[in-house]
């Protein structure tokens, strides 16, 4: 398995298992199957409401001797309702407790959007904090303390655009080590990718398959990535599946990638993406795919009920 490298030389396995929407009751087994298949990187978050079951899957694998803790790379994310300085440590401790771990390999600020404590999803103006109430610098200071304490070996962000990253880069202290964002052929984000590379920030691609299980009614007309004819042609050429081509695309860009599955055969299929080697012609075809689409559009965090604008999330 190819690794990416943090500034201190620590390694991040380039392919991991996503766990958003993986139901309690399914994800314990999925995590076990993934570790058994060779995955060493797990992408988790408090808001997925399944970290206890993910933790059980990890514990099962450790107990059966499939892997040792220090061979696993586990990421979790700080939810929007815990951005105040005093809320970060307890949020991290809750994730550690649920995951049955004594440290995380990577802890990310999930979104540059803050809710008041206890609010799962803010739907009214009074349930949000603004950047004046809780500046991102306050959250970032607390994240650095978690790294200093050893509770998180690495720290970073998710869904941060260039201007938000610049804000953190301008602060004294630790620089973000990771930005986890949506990256797939309908959304290659070349500008953001180059900016991160220039600033020594690693990238993780989320929703690499176009997140087909997260389609809300308002997304029912979204383009389908897994059925795209260009993706299917490349898959046919390599004797691979569409999913494998999409995962291999991120790997070819030296970007970590975390496809979600709770199905054993797809977990194994996705792992074998590391064996698919895309050539220049394939890469050219994928960049010229001709469809531009963001699946996780951030609209639930913006709009008239919110102090945040889409420009707080995405570069123009
Ligand atoms: N930081 C963030 O804000 C953020 C946002 C979104 C996602 N993420 C992370 O990224 C992970 C992946 O993104 P995602 O869950 O949105 O979607 P995704 O990985 O793009 O797609 C997952 C869906 O594809 C199906 N699938 C998996 N492998 C397949 C294959 N080889 N062929 C066909 N279908 C396949 C899965 O079904 P089965 O489970 O039935 O196989 C599931 O329905 C998340 O789970 C989460 O860890 C992070």
């Amino acid at each position: 398995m190819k690794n990416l490298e943090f500034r201190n030389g620590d390694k991040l396995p380039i392919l991991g298992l996503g766990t958003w929407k993986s139901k309690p009751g399914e994800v314990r087994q999925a995590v076990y199957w993934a570790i058994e298949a060779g995955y060493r990187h797990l992408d988790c978050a408090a808001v997925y409401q399944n970290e206890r079951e993910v933790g059980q899957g990890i514990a099962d694998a450790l107990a059966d001797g499939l892997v040792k803790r220090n061979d696993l790379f586990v990421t979790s994310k700080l939810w929007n309702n815990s951005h105040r300085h005093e809320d970060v440590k307890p949020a991290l401790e809750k994730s550690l407790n649920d995951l049955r771990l004594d440290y995380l390999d990577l802890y990310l600020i999930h979104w540059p959007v803050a809710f008041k404590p206890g609010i799962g999803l803010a739907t009214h103006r009074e349930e949000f904090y603004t950047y004046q109430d809780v500046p991102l610098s306050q959250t970032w200071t607390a994240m650095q303390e978690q790294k200093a304490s050893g509770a998180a070996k690495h720290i970073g962000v998710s869904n941060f655009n260039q201007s938000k990253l610049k804000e953190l880069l301008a602060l004294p202290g630790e620089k973000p080590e990771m930005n986890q964002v949506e990256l797939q052929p309908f959304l290659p984000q070349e500008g953001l990718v180059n900016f991160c590379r220039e600033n020594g920030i690693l990238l993780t691609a989320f929703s690499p398959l176009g997140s087909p299980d997260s389609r809300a009614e308002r997304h029912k007309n979204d383009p389908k990535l897994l059925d795209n004819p260009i993706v299917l042609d490349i898959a046919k050429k390599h004797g691979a599946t569409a999913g494998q081509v999409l995962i291999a695309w991120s790997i070819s860009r030296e970007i970590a990638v975390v496809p979600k599955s709770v199905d054993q055969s797809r977990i194994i299929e996705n792992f074998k993406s590391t064996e698919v080697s895309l050539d220049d012609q394939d890469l050219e075809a994928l960049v010229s795919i001709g469809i531009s689409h963001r699946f996780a559009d951030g609209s639930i965090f913006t709009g008239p009920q919110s102090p945040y604008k889409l420009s707080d999330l995405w570069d123009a």
Side-chain angles (χ1 to χ4, degrees), residues 173-286:
E174 297 269 352
K175 309 298 173 207
E177 298 176 90
M178 170 64 71
N179 191 18
Q180 179 176 126
V181 293
E182 181 177 338
L183 291 166
Q184 36 81 9
F186 296 164
L187 192 71
Q189 306 214 61
E190 297 283 358
L192 181 62
V193 167
N194 290 337
F195 178 84
C196 289
R197 292 197 203 289
E198 282 156 16
N199 287 283
I201 301 168
L202 297 177
L203 287 142
T204 301
F206 75 62
S207 302
L209 310 175
S211 202
D213 54 348
S214 64
R215 295 283 156 71
E217 182 60 16
R218 67 196 156 86
H219 287 310
K220 70 176 191 305
N221 296 322
D222 281 358
K224 310 275 183 295
L225 195 50
L226 284 161
D227 297 343
N228 181 273
I230 292 176
V231 175
L232 290 172
D233 277 353
I234 297 171
K236 195 167 166 200
K237 174 173 144 186
H238 290 278
T241 66
Q244 289 174 327
V245 167
L246 293 166
I247 296 163
W249 180 71
S250 278
I251 296 174
S252 74
R253 301 175 88 199
E254 305 267 315
I255 291 174
V257 55
V258 289
K260 171 263 176 187
S261 181
V262 290
D263 175 272
Q264 189 176 19
S265 63
R266 284 190 288 275
I267 287 172
I268 294 169
E269 173 187 327
N270 294 346
F271 191 73
K272 290 190 176 155
S273 307
T274 53
E275 295 165 16
V276 177
S277 171
L278 301 178
D279 60 32
D280 289 347
Q281 205 186 352
D282 305 327
L283 299 177
E284 178 58 34
L286 289 168

